[in-house]
Amino acid sequence: RHDKTGIEGSHIYPVQYGGPDTPGNILPMCRNDHWAFENGWISISDDYAVLFHSDMPEGVIELLQVEEGDNLFLIEGYEPDQDYLALHRRIHGFEPIEQGQRYPVKISGITVYGASVTFPDGTQITIPVETLNQADETQLLTVVITDVSGDRITAVPIIQE
């Protein structure tokens, strides 16, 4: 049933959204589990158990190496970063995005209104133009959620000293 070859490094919080290319943000996975993880059909809990998304398409489970509730095999000193695991769960709809949470984001293409980032679950975070450094076309920022009103989520960059 499972192909145990083809181990790949899966970014927990995707680089395209501002996640780093560092050991704490990478999980080794077989090809199919990597595909399901990147699509948000599986995630990892705070206690390193595999979670299945309620919206997982029919037939995907049969392709996976993991089963819901399985615990990750961890190597001491190479554990995945808890913050990145939480970010993965939030951007894929396992947990809500709430006011006060912080997210690393990569933005480009600032408009007169500001910039926005759309996560895989369709959630869009808007960053008002007055809070951005408009001299930089592409920016890697950490933002804090300031307002969650229905489908509208607003954030402002955290100023790094």
Side-chain angles (χ1 to χ4, degrees):
R1 169 180 148 164
H2 302 300
D3 177 13
K4 295 184 173 113
T5 63
I7 299 299
E8 302 174 347
S10 181
H11 288 92
I12 301 167
Y13 187 65
V15 173
Q16 71 196 56
Y17 297 112
D21 199 14
T22 59
N25 191 38
I26 296 174
L27 282 175
M29 296 183 160
C30 78
R31 201 168 290 136
N32 288 350
D33 292 354
H34 182 183
W35 166 73
F37 188 77
E38 283 194 351
N39 281 287
W41 298 322
I42 63 174
S43 195
I44 309 296
S45 71
D46 283 337
D47 59 354
Y48 305 115
V50 175
L51 305 170
F52 282 5
H53 200 285
S54 59
D55 293 337
M56 186 185 303
E58 193 172 317
V60 171
I61 291 174
E62 289 78 29
L63 301 173
L64 301 178
Q65 178 81 17
V66 296
E67 295 183 16
E68 189 167 28
D70 282 355
N71 286 311
L72 295 184
F73 174 77
L74 300 173
I75 298 171
E76 190 174 336
Y78 293 96
E79 297 88 356
D81 187 288
Q82 289 287 337
D83 291 336
Y84 295 128
L85 291 174
L87 288 167
H88 184 270
R89 292 191 303 271
R90 290 182 201 138
I91 69 170
H92 289 289
F94 286 83
E95 296 175 0
I97 292 177
E98 298 173 339
Q99 189 171 338
Q101 293 172 340
R102 296 175 180 219
Y103 293 82
V105 295
K106 186 184 293 183
I107 61 164
S108 59
I110 300 169
T111 69
V112 294
Y113 303 107
S116 64
V117 175
T118 303
F119 290 135
D121 71 348
T123 300
Q124 186 175 57
I125 295 177
T126 302
I127 305 156
V129 69
E130 62 271 10
T131 66
L132 296 169
N133 178 357
Q134 294 183 46
D136 297 332
E137 184 62 27
T138 300
Q139 299 177 46
L140 185 57
L141 312 166
T142 298
V143 297
V144 63
I145 304 300
T146 56
D147 184 40
V148 179
S149 302
D151 291 340
R152 197 179 119 252
I153 299 174
T154 307
V156 296
I158 297 171
I159 306 300
Q160 303 292 331
E161 298 289 325

